[in-house]
Amino acid sequence: MTSILLFLEGFKNGFDTSLVHLRRLPSYDGLLHLRRQSLNLNSRVFYGARHVTPPAIRVGSIPVQSLLFRAPTQLTGWTRSWGHRVSFSHRSDGLDLLSSSPIVSTNPTLDDCLTVIALPLPHKPLIPGFYMPIYVKDPKVLAALQESTRQQSPYVGAFLLKDGASTDSSSCSETNNVVHKFKGKGKPKKKRRKELLNRIYQVGTLAQISSIQGEQVILVGRRRLRIKEMVSEDPLTVNVYHLKDKPYDKDNAVIKASYVEVISMLRDVLKINSLWRDQVQTYTQDIGDFSYQHLADFGAGISGANKHQNQGVLIELDVHKRLELTLELVKKQAEINKIKETDDGSSLSAKIRVRIDTNKENIPKHVLKVMEEEFSKLEMLEDNYSDFDLTYNYLDWLTVLPWGNFSYENFDVLRAKKILDEDHYGLSDVKERILEFIAVGRLRGTSQGKIICLSGPPGVGKTSIGRSIARALDRKFFRFAVGGLSDVGEIKGHCQTYVGAMPGKMVQCLKSVGTENPLILIDEIDKLDRCHTGDPASALLEVMDPEQNANFLDHFLNVTIDLSKVLFVCTANVIEMIPGPLLDRMEVIDLSGYVTDEKMHIARDYLVKKTCRDCGIKPEQVDLSDAALLSLIENYCREAGVRNLQKQIEKIYRKVALELVRQGAVSFYVTDTKDTKSLAKTDSEVKGMKVADIMKILESATGDSTESKTKQSGVVAKTFKKVMIDESNLADYVGKPVFQEEKIYEQTPVGVVMGLAWTSMGGSTLYIETTFVEEGEGKGGLHITGQLGDVMKESAEIAHTVARRIMFEKEPENLFFANSKLHLHVPEGATPKDGPSAGCTMITSFLSLAMKKFVRKDLAMTGEVTLTGRILPIGGVKEKTIAARRSQIKTIIFPEANRRDFEELAENMKEGLDVHFVDEYEKIFDLAFNYDH
Ligand code: ADP
């Protein structure tokens, strides 16, 4: 489209202006050059009738427009079928365009073209279905092209040049120059070849030579190619693969929707000028049909996209993705067109001007300078769509940022406490830490420079605490999920030359919140990915590090912005997985999960109330008993967090809603009054309804309107029965319990001991099982199974040795370890496990087997053991305690060094537990084996 616009503008404004525009459009300098060079070839072919137009502009304009779309329909002697020889009549009136050339043949077929001359394209890749004039000055290349057309093999490979030619107007118009540079003289052959190939994109287009007129060669894009290898250097000849689009399902609703959207966008774009509508026709006639892939190509080809964006479309073999890329490009174009149609470019610039002028004193100097520079460019580019678009888009982003706009930060600790309590039950230590943080903020006058990291299993309220902190501080809130993120561009933006280039999330965030000091929640920072595009962790460090983020550089904006006013809160499941340099700068606050009692409170006081409200159900319409809630928590939702509990409660209330509506339906039939008839629904009708509809009906049937109806009919309200949910009928609402008892033995057998583990999902109990495989003198050995990591395998071996030593000390005559081959297994073999904290459990399991004595009933333990039998501290005391309670464990053994962690736990968590702290394995031995049942 840029090319067509170019032509139109040139035509409209006359020669001089068009030339100016052309010069400003680097990507069309080539055409300008072509126009100058081919001046007398075709000046009157298409515009002969328009005498007003000076020849120079006519010539320049014509090939662009005509060669892209019109030539086939307008030239005499042309047959549109590429299978036939076509030629052009020599006309005395100067219409001798293409006269010397085109012998276009089906011989050989496209499929036969596996070795082709590679032509480097400086400005744009050749999209299949489009025409492109190029200028070849290198006689060798030209001769080779002429020879190939003579041989009736008029095909070449057209490949976009990677480097800078597009901005160098003096050289890029001539393929010749490029070819010279291409030769890379003076280097060893192998290196030279590699360099040559590196300078062009490997994916290009198989192009048919439509005509050769002097040095001008007109190409028609046919299909996509990829370079396999170089065959010769001069002229550059390559072996190629032909690329096929990936198969796709034409009936797939998603791809169909993209297709329809591209069409509708194109329709907007094409509305501007009837000439473009003809082009659709020409293109489809030439290409055969407007299938999904062709539409994608067409849209990209006519959009004003730059060379990289077009190359992006060219390399995309996934038709759906290609459509999406095109959609972006066409959308942008449509937007610009629309504004230009109603609003000329100058009013667009005016908008930008207003934004700059009204905020001048708040915009940093270096940014203001760039704004002014770009703005002058914008004004000059008003009529030039492709660059106008880019510059406008850039300035739009730059000027829309909330320069100097802050929300007033509230350090009222009492209010903050109220907000935190309003949103969350319990978590007193977490809330306390947050209040401390706010208090420090108050004294310092600012809370910036700190990074809070909330760590804990899923569903424990990390995100919602983040939201509450923002609310408490009166900062705007923005969540940025970085789980699985591998592309640094997501954080730092993409350079403007990339397809669909956008600023990074930080800039997007500032735009969306409209203040410079929001609270940004970086979610799942422990799940960052890494790939060839860079290290997102170091990009995040640039963003969050108070030392660096005052001068954060987004690749798209290309000016530094100040992120130091932003308050960053991160969330993570496992802090060990947070990259070190990031973790160093964080203040970690643990949220370890909830015990049953806490979950009951959260469910009653927060989740049930909220769900009731959301479903439009009144509390008096349902009775969810404590026993039912307890059963729900213990048998369905045992994980550390409460997200699943929330889901189950929602499930219950949706069913309740349906039940209430059904009850209502029955009563309405009974009354059968005029008023209620409209609300009457049969059961089957109700079943087929969406929940939202049910809610609406429910609202109208239960709220105030019910009262008025009751007054009228006197029957309706009485028929509503309170829905009762108890342990006995809970399964009707949420199905059968999903959790098996974690405790599978009433009394653990010999060789089996319960350990306590910590996972990213919270704590859990796990059995360590040992049995002997065979006995015989000197057969002592150990076999380990259960998906154990290296650390856990090592600790099994350590445990084996320690157990053997203890046995030797206690019962020297017991040769069990020396003569028995043992097998240690940790059940749930499908789950990978690692960590040293099962050491003491393993020793106990070995000793139990050796002494043929089972361990104390309802005992669980955790602790790392050294070879000498010392017990080292472990992590996750709270989670492990919660897990032990869940499995009705009465006695827990923890390392002595963890005593404080346990003592800091809430009373309700410690209640009823017999906890022992040990520093030597000897003590565990006593606890585990010296008992009276
Ligand atoms: P996370 O980010 O830790 O995965 P969320 O913040 O998304 O978890 O919490 C899941 C749901 O549980 C939210 O609706 C949240 O409000 C609720 N929730 C979590 N902890 C509490 C709590 N202590 N009190 C009330 N609601 C809670």
Side-chain angles (χ1 to χ4, degrees):
M1 178 161 35
T2 319
S3 48
I4 294 142
L5 266 175
L6 199 69
F7 141 67
L8 285 174
E9 292 305 326
F11 189 77
K12 193 173 74 190
N13 301 337
F15 176 61
D16 290 333
T17 30
S18 77
L19 258 180
V20 172
H21 292 147
L22 281 166
R23 280 205 195 96
R24 282 202 211 111
L25 243 188
S27 50
Y28 281 89
D29 284 350
L31 288 169
L32 174 64
H33 190 94
L34 169 69
R35 182 180 65 189
R36 289 197 201 107
Q37 300 279 335
S38 58
L39 189 66
N40 33 22
L41 286 173
N42 45 9
S43 57
R44 275 167 290 159
V45 174
F46 303 109
Y47 299 102
R50 303 190 191 246
H51 300 294
V52 285
T53 316
I57 185 63
R58 283 183 263 140
V59 174
S61 314
I62 290 156
V64 181
Q65 178 265 340
S66 62
L67 295 171
L68 280 176
F69 301 106
R70 299 206 70 143
T73 49
Q74 298 199 7
L75 297 171
T76 48
W78 179 278
T79 69
R80 222 168 271 118
S81 155
W82 291 98
H84 294 103
R85 276 165 169 258
V86 287
S87 60
F88 295 94
S89 57
H90 292 248
R91 291 172 58 160
S92 55
D93 59 356
L95 295 182
D96 55 354
L97 170 71
L98 316 176
S99 57
S100 67
S101 57
I103 308 293
V104 181
S105 157
T106 51
N107 238 346
T109 63
L110 283 184
D111 291 336
D112 297 328
C113 298
L114 297 175
T115 304
V116 287
I117 292 175
L119 294 179
L121 304 179
H123 308 300
K124 271 196 172 190
L126 177 56
I127 301 275
F130 281 82
Y131 290 74
M132 181 185 274
I134 58 162
Y135 218 73
V136 179
K137 270 208 168 170
D138 184 332
K140 231 179 189 169
V141 177
L142 199 58
L145 297 183
Q146 276 159 345
E147 181 56 24
S148 59
T149 43
R150 245 193 306 280
Q151 299 285 326
Q152 305 199 345
S153 174
Y155 298 104
V156 289
F159 299 91
L160 181 66
L161 255 181
K162 280 183 190 165
D163 40 72
S166 65
T167 48
D168 178 2
S169 59
S170 63
S171 66
C172 60
S173 56
E174 295 170 355
T175 314
N176 175 45
N177 288 347
V178 181
V179 172
H180 275 308
K181 271 185 228 149
F182 240 57
K183 287 183 181 165
K185 285 173 193 160
K187 297 203 169 132
K189 197 171 174 191
K190 207 166 164 194
K191 205 168 170 195
R192 218 167 52 211
R193 286 181 163 219
K194 216 170 150 199
E195 271 181 20
L196 287 185
L197 279 193
N198 277 345
R199 290 196 47 207
I200 51 175
Y201 283 99
Q202 302 300 289
V203 174
T205 318
L206 180 62
Q208 187 162 13
I209 302 169
S210 163
S211 76
I212 302 177
Q213 177 69 51
E215 291 170 336
Q216 182 190 4
V217 179
I218 293 168
L219 304 175
V220 192
R222 285 287 162 227
R223 53 169 78 157
R224 288 165 163 81
L225 294 177
R226 178 189 290 282
I227 294 177
K228 186 176 172 192
E229 65 208 346
M230 187 197 282
V231 178
S232 70
E233 264 177 54
D234 200 11
L236 180 63
T237 309
V238 288
N239 281 339
V240 292
Y241 302 105
H242 289 208
L243 298 179
K244 282 209 172 86
D245 291 328
K246 288 186 189 155
Y248 63 93
D249 176 10
K250 258 201 334 224
D251 299 322
N252 178 305
V254 183
I255 190 167
K256 237 180 195 167
S258 305
Y259 178 74
V260 171
E261 214 180 331
V262 175
I263 290 204
S264 90
M265 277 294 146
L266 270 177
R267 205 171 283 149
D268 282 355
V269 170
L270 298 174
K271 239 191 281 171
I272 305 276
N273 196 293
S274 60
L275 199 69
W276 300 348
R277 285 197 289 277
D278 293 349
Q279 283 143 21
V280 178
Q281 213 186 353
T282 314
Y283 182 89
T284 45
Q285 278 165 349
D286 191 21
I287 209 87
D289 68 301
F290 237 138
S291 60
Y292 291 7
Q293 55 267 56
H294 291 146
L295 182 79
D297 284 348
F298 177 77
I302 71 156
S303 76
N306 64 31
K307 70 177 193 175
H308 298 283
Q309 290 170 326
N310 268 324
Q311 180 67 19
V313 171
L314 188 73
I315 60 172
E316 189 54 74
L317 297 182
D318 181 317
V319 176
H320 185 217
K321 285 194 188 145
R322 196 191 299 163
L323 272 171
E324 293 282 302
L325 285 178
T326 298
L327 183 61
E328 275 306 305
L329 302 180
V330 180
K331 249 185 198 168
K332 262 194 190 166
Q333 196 60 54
E335 252 168 50
I336 291 287
N337 287 357
K338 216 176 259 167
I339 305 167
K340 284 204 141 210
E341 222 180 347
T342 48
D343 212 358
D344 63 8
S346 59
S347 73
L348 268 184
S349 333
K351 244 181 251 172
I352 298 285
R353 189 71 254 165
V354 170
R355 282 196 205 157
I356 299 175
D357 289 345
T358 50
N359 207 14
K360 229 171 194 164
E361 61 286 0
N362 289 321
I363 301 172
K365 276 202 181 71
H366 69 285
V367 180
L368 193 62
K369 186 165 167 262
V370 175
M371 279 181 188
E372 293 293 3
E373 281 166 13
E374 289 294 314
F375 185 76
S376 331
K377 203 161 140 197
L378 187 75
E379 279 188 317
M380 287 204 304
L381 288 171
E382 262 162 34
D383 296 326
N384 177 333
Y385 277 37
S386 97
D387 272 14
F388 182 89
D389 176 6
L390 287 179
T391 313
Y392 175 77
N393 188 30
Y394 174 71
L395 269 174
D396 188 31
W397 272 104
L398 205 56
T399 51
V400 86
L401 293 182
W403 302 110
N405 189 23
F406 298 94
S407 42
Y408 173 72
E409 202 163 20
N410 195 329
F411 292 116
D412 182 342
V413 178
L414 288 178
R415 177 174 165 273
K417 167 119 182 55
K418 194 167 152 271
I419 288 175
L420 290 171
D421 285 342
E422 244 167 52
D423 296 346
H424 298 91
Y425 171 82
L427 299 175
S428 45
D429 43 345
V430 175
K431 289 176 185 168
E432 198 62 24
R433 289 280 298 275
I434 293 167
L435 294 177
E436 284 164 18
F437 169 83
I438 295 176
V440 171
R442 179 177 195 137
L443 295 181
R444 282 179 60 211
T446 170
S447 60
Q448 61 225 33
K450 283 273 171 251
I451 309 171
I452 298 177
C453 178
L454 299 164
S455 97
V460 291
K462 300 182 294 296
T463 314
S464 62
I465 281 272
R467 212 180 283 273
S468 293
I469 300 176
R471 197 155 81 87
L473 290 173
D474 266 345
R475 285 182 181 236
K476 291 276 175 59
F477 178 80
F478 185 87
R479 177 171 169 264
F480 176 25
V482 296
L485 183 137
S486 61
D487 183 4
V488 174
E490 283 269 314
I491 302 166
K492 296 198 65 182
H494 289 106
C495 189
Q496 283 186 49
T497 46
Y498 288 105
V499 179
M502 285 269 279
K505 263 281 166 16
M506 294 305 130
V507 174
Q508 291 178 38
C509 156
L510 293 184
K511 179 185 172 187
S512 101
V513 298
T515 57
E516 270 194 55
N517 63 338
L519 182 150
I520 301 185
L521 184 95
I522 312 247
D523 216 357
E524 304 199 312
I525 195 155
D526 53 337
K527 299 202 180 56
L528 283 176
D529 221 346
R530 241 202 103 113
C531 80
H532 61 280
T533 51
D535 180 10
S538 50
L540 275 183
L541 190 64
E542 275 177 53
V543 167
M544 292 195 283
D545 186 359
E547 307 277 313
Q548 304 181 43
N549 66 6
N551 291 306
F552 173 72
L553 182 72
D554 179 279
H555 291 318
F556 179 88
L557 290 191
N558 211 16
V559 291
T560 54
I561 54 173
D562 182 5
L563 293 179
S564 65
K565 314 278 184 309
V566 175
L567 176 62
F568 290 99
V569 175
C570 307
T571 77
N573 291 145
V574 189
I575 49 166
E576 285 74 21
M577 300 293 286
I578 300 175
L582 281 174
L583 188 59
D584 277 355
R585 289 161 176 83
M586 289 175 180
E587 211 178 304
V588 179
I589 302 182
D590 274 323
L591 286 88
S592 39
Y594 302 107
V595 285
T596 304
D597 184 41
E598 288 172 318
K599 285 189 188 172
M600 281 292 278
H601 277 102
I602 293 173
R604 269 272 170 259
D605 302 340
Y606 296 81
L607 307 180
V608 167
K609 281 185 183 158
K610 179 173 178 294
T611 316
C612 244
R613 262 197 319 270
D614 291 351
C615 289
I617 297 172
K618 300 211 155 116
E620 57 273 20
Q621 288 175 316
V622 199
D623 184 355
L624 175 63
S625 75
D626 281 349
L629 212 46
L630 189 67
S631 166
L632 191 67
I633 290 166
E634 298 212 316
N635 301 324
Y636 297 78
C637 312
R638 282 202 203 149
E639 55 288 304
V642 290
R643 188 175 293 123
N644 186 35
L645 180 60
Q646 182 176 10
K647 277 192 197 149
Q648 297 296 339
I649 290 174
E650 281 165 7
K651 202 164 162 186
I652 294 175
Y653 277 81
R654 277 201 304 272
K655 287 215 160 67
V656 169
L658 187 58
E659 226 166 288
L660 288 170
V661 172
R662 281 184 180 154
Q663 282 184 31
V666 173
S667 67
F668 294 142
Y669 276 118
V670 174
T671 58
D672 198 22
T673 63
K674 261 190 184 170
D675 281 17
T676 53
K677 241 184 178 171
S678 62
L679 290 167
K681 297 270 180 258
T682 64
D683 265 17
S684 56
E685 275 176 310
V686 170
K687 267 183 201 156
M689 287 166 72
K690 289 193 183 128
V691 174
D693 300 332
I694 296 173
M695 298 313 167
K696 261 188 218 150
I697 294 176
L698 191 63
E699 278 279 294
S700 57
T702 55
D704 294 341
S705 55
T706 312
E707 268 178 52
S708 59
K709 284 183 186 77
T710 313
K711 272 178 209 145
Q712 287 167 27
S713 65
V715 191
V716 180
K718 270 187 255 163
T719 59
F720 278 110
K721 228 171 56 200
K722 194 169 189 167
V723 179
M724 309 290 281
I725 304 160
D726 206 346
E727 218 183 336
S728 57
N729 65 348
L730 183 66
D732 298 344
Y733 292 86
V734 286
K736 292 220 164 61
V738 281
F739 277 102
Q740 300 284 334
E741 274 285 323
E742 274 182 37
K743 194 172 163 183
I744 51 177
Y745 303 107
E746 204 36 51
Q747 164 68 63
T748 46
V750 164
V752 179
V753 183
M754 186 185 269
L756 295 172
W758 180 86
T759 70
S760 62
M761 303 290 287
S764 85
T765 52
L766 91 173
Y767 288 103
I768 305 269
E769 303 180 334
T770 317
T771 183
F772 71 88
V773 186
E774 54 177 335
E775 265 179 314
E777 208 175 316
K779 286 214 164 158
L782 179 63
H783 175 58
I784 307 164
T785 55
Q787 275 253 31
L788 310 184
D790 288 346
V791 177
M792 205 155 172
K793 275 187 196 147
E794 267 182 11
S795 71
E797 282 172 22
I798 296 170
H800 191 232
T801 309
V802 175
R804 196 167 170 167
R805 182 182 54 77
I806 293 173
M807 202 69 263
F808 184 73
E809 282 166 10
K810 290 198 182 299
E811 301 175 17
E813 68 290 354
N814 187 335
L815 296 177
F816 176 80
F817 286 109
N819 298 335
S820 314
K821 179 157 191 204
L822 304 181
H823 181 166
L824 180 140
H825 178 65
V826 187
E828 293 187 46
T831 320
K833 311 164 192 82
D834 205 7
S837 72
C840 66
T841 324
M842 289 175 179
I843 301 177
T844 313
S845 149
F846 287 130
L847 291 174
S848 159
L849 196 66
M851 299 188 301
K852 302 200 174 32
K853 184 168 187 185
F854 47 73
V855 296
R856 179 190 290 267
K857 199 165 176 271
D858 298 329
L859 168 77
M861 62 185 71
T862 176
E864 180 177 354
V865 188
T866 65
L867 262 181
T868 56
R870 294 206 56 89
I871 308 292
L872 303 181
I874 45 86
V877 168
K878 183 173 176 192
E879 290 87 345
K880 288 176 173 177
T881 310
I882 295 170
R885 293 188 77 87
R886 211 162 48 215
S887 295
Q888 285 100 43
I889 292 301
K890 307 244 162 40
T891 313
I892 305 181
I893 302 176
F894 279 129
E896 178 66 46
N898 287 108
R899 184 188 285 272
R900 260 198 66 195
D901 298 331
F902 182 81
E903 281 169 358
E904 278 174 4
L905 297 183
E907 279 313 314
N908 61 351
M909 220 176 275
K910 298 188 275 191
E911 205 179 294
L913 285 176
D914 181 17
V915 181
H916 300 264
F917 300 95
V918 296
D919 50 9
E920 299 249 322
Y921 183 77
E922 199 55 39
K923 291 182 183 155
I924 299 185
F925 187 90
D926 287 344
L927 284 161
F929 298 110
N930 293 338
Y931 53 84
D932 292 319
H933 277 318

